[in-house]
Every structure is written in C-alpha cells, then in structure tokens.
Amino acid sequence: MITNFLKTKCTIQNKASTTGAMGETEVWANGEIRWCRRISVDVMTRTAFMQNNTIVTDKFLFDGIVTLSLGKQRICYQGVIYELAESAQYVEGKTIVMTKRGG
C-alpha cells in the first residue's frame, strides 16, 4: 500500500541548452513545484538496479500523474539535486520515480 502522506515540496528543474561562441552551455531552470515524499531505497532495490548498471539511492512519490523526462528534468529536494534513474511509474494514483542523489 502506498501512503497518501506527502511531506514536503520539491522543485522539478528543466534543462535548457544554449549555443554560443564557446560551445553549448547547459542550464537548469526551476519549473513546477510539487508536494512529494522522498524515501531511501533498501539494499535489495539498490542491488537489483546495480545488476543493470544503474545507481539508485532514493525514490520520490507524487500525487497523481507526473510526467518527467530522463536527461531533461531532475528533482531539487531541500537543496539537494536528484537525477532521474528511470521513467516514472504510475501506481495506485501515485507517480513513483527512482532517482540517484547527485551534485
């Protein structure tokens, strides 16, 4: 069972690229602010993802359908950046996103 308890807000950041004289520059802009819940994944989940050469440290729960694009969006939660590790899944009225804590 997935809980309905969404504790804090996070910001969905969107990637924008600009091309200039020095080449392409990548910039992350703040986008939508949503209520969410961050949950650290257990050892079994980490191990399962590591078998596919994917590092996962946390998962995020959102209410309703949230569409996120790999490589084009990331989550900023309490000042920490989380990169998306896989596409979001919609389960029991919630969107679940597996992420990697990054810099």
Side-chain angles (χ1 to χ4, degrees):
M1 183 176 110
I2 297 176
T3 181
N4 289 329
F5 190 64
L6 302 179
K7 295 170 72 168
T8 55
K9 291 182 180 180
C10 70
T11 303
I12 308 296
Q13 294 185 332
N14 302 303
K15 181 167 75 170
S17 299
T18 57
T19 304
M22 300 298 289
E24 188 174 67
T25 304
E26 188 178 280
V27 178
W28 291 93
N30 288 340
E32 188 177 6
I33 296 174
R34 299 203 52 125
W35 285 99
C36 69
R37 182 170 188 183
R38 185 192 61 84
I39 302 168
S40 296
V41 296
D42 59 9
V43 173
M44 284 180 48
T45 303
R46 284 183 194 224
T47 304
F49 276 92
M50 288 173 72
Q51 290 176 353
N52 293 327
N53 292 326
T54 304
I55 297 172
V56 171
T57 58
D58 303 272
K59 67 180 171 183
F60 282 84
L61 296 172
F62 297 96
D63 209 12
I65 297 174
V66 178
T67 305
L68 299 171
S69 300
L70 289 173
K72 295 181 181 178
Q73 292 176 308
R74 65 186 186 181
I75 298 170
C76 181
Y77 176 83
Q78 296 181 342
V80 179
I81 301 299
Y82 293 84
E83 303 289 338
L84 306 180
E86 69 173 13
S87 297
Q89 298 177 12
Y90 184 69
V91 179
E92 296 181 13
K94 305 284 183 234
T95 299
I96 302 170
V97 183
M98 303 303 276
T99 62
K100 176 184 92 168
R101 188 178 184 136

